[in-house]
Amino acid sequence: AQSVTQPDARVTVSEGASLQLRCKYSYSGTPYLFWYVQYPRQGLQLLLKYYSGDPVVQGVNGFEAEFSKSNSSFHLRKASVHWSDSAVYFCVLSATGNTGKLIFGLGTTLQVQP
Amino acid sequence: GGIITQTPKFLIGQEGQKLTLKCQQNFNHDTMYWYRQDSGKGLRLIYYSITENDLQKGDLSEGYDASREKKSSFSLTVTSAQKNEMAVFLCASSILGGAGAETLYFGSGTRLTVL
């Protein structure tokens, strides 16, 4: 079965600190993987996506993620967080190539403290 | 750039009531989606549509109807609102709907409360 696990429901970091949000997926083939961010009272916005090639993908606002097939992971990183990064972050898997079959993780709420 | 507009932003209904949520997009995207977002449960797909007058059921379609009469609009009907139900309904669109690495563009949601 295909699934996405975000093991941390909530992460709190200080402004200027580095960040890693974890994502593990379950799928036997080559996945399409995404990170979306949801700011308060807004819809989701794409941060970055991976579907082939370099396992480290760059996204908007200084975010990057690294795909690891051996670890079935797609962790999100940022070198220095800003208070405006406070939001909910979703890891998303597309296993079949059908956008109607996206699998969302439960999300990680990031709180950046000043 | 385009935008997805969801109306209303807030919807309060009574138990058993039929409620309709509307979504408009000006991206000229082929595919549109309705997701339900519950606290602690992530996003679950209710319906999607790959073109005008097409409807595809998602994992959560029971209790809902959908309609895609125009390419730019996609409506969702809660056929009988459940007491104490609270959720956010998110509309999204994508260019084609068939390629696995497509980006979804989301509206800001309709927040439903059932009294």
Side-chain angles (χ1 to χ4, degrees):
Chain A
Q2 296 131 21
S3 65
V4 174
T5 301
Q6 294 181 246
D8 304 306
R10 177 175 286 271
V11 170
T12 301
V13 298
S14 298
E15 193 167 23
S18 63
L19 171 71
Q20 177 173 278
L21 300 182
R22 296 183 292 164
C23 173
K24 299 275 285 186
Y25 69 90
S26 174
Y27 177 57
S28 57
T30 300
Y32 300 92
L33 291 160
F34 309 77
W35 277 98
Y36 281 83
V37 60
Q38 184 177 33
Y39 298 104
R41 302 293 188 187
Q42 295 186 29
L44 283 69
Q45 303 170 35
L46 181 71
L47 276 180
L48 47 79
K49 59 185 174 183
Y50 169 83
Y51 51 94
S52 67
D54 189 337
V56 178
V57 290
Q58 304 296 321
V60 298
N61 297 334
F63 285 94
E64 67 175 30
E66 183 167 6
F67 169 70
S68 171
K69 189 172 177 65
S70 60
N71 293 324
S72 298
S73 67
F74 189 55
H75 300 330
L76 182 70
R77 304 188 296 238
K78 188 171 184 178
S80 176
V81 296
H82 187 264
W83 64 266
S84 60
D85 293 324
S86 296
V88 182
Y89 293 78
F90 291 94
C91 183
V92 184
L93 165 69
S94 175
T96 64
N98 182 343
T99 314
K101 298 294 184 183
L102 292 179
I103 300 166
F104 286 77
L106 297 185
T108 297
T109 299
L110 172 65
Q111 184 173 0
V112 180
Q113 292 183 329
Chain B
I3 190 169
I4 294 183
T5 303
Q6 292 187 237
T7 55
K9 291 190 184 303
F10 299 92
L11 183 56
I12 299 175
Q14 301 290 329
E15 184 182 12
Q17 192 176 2
K18 179 185 282 191
L19 303 167
T20 298
L21 293 67
K22 294 187 183 296
C23 177
Q24 295 267 348
Q25 56 100 354
N26 63 359
F27 288 101
N28 199 34
H29 286 167
D30 285 322
T31 306
M32 297 184 73
Y33 312 79
W34 276 107
Y35 285 92
R36 177 179 167 125
Q37 183 176 23
D38 293 274
S39 178
K41 291 187 178 179
L43 273 70
R44 292 179 289 173
L45 182 65
I46 305 171
Y47 270 98
Y48 70 105
S49 166
I50 62 175
T51 189
E52 189 176 319
N53 293 319
D54 173 75
L55 291 175
Q56 307 285 336
K57 291 184 177 181
D59 296 329
L60 203 65
S61 60
E62 188 170 339
Y64 302 94
D65 287 328
S67 174
R68 182 98 181 269
E69 294 176 352
K70 293 192 302 182
K71 185 176 182 177
S72 62
S73 66
F74 194 30
S75 63
L76 180 73
T77 298
V78 180
T79 57
S80 180
Q82 301 298 305
K83 188 173 178 61
N84 297 323
E85 182 175 6
M86 286 182 65
V88 177
F89 292 85
L90 293 171
C91 177
S93 71
S94 66
I95 294 175
L96 292 175
E102 280 195 287
T103 298
L104 264 62
Y105 297 84
F106 285 84
S108 57
T110 292
R111 284 154 182 79
L112 172 67
T113 301
V114 181
L115 303 176

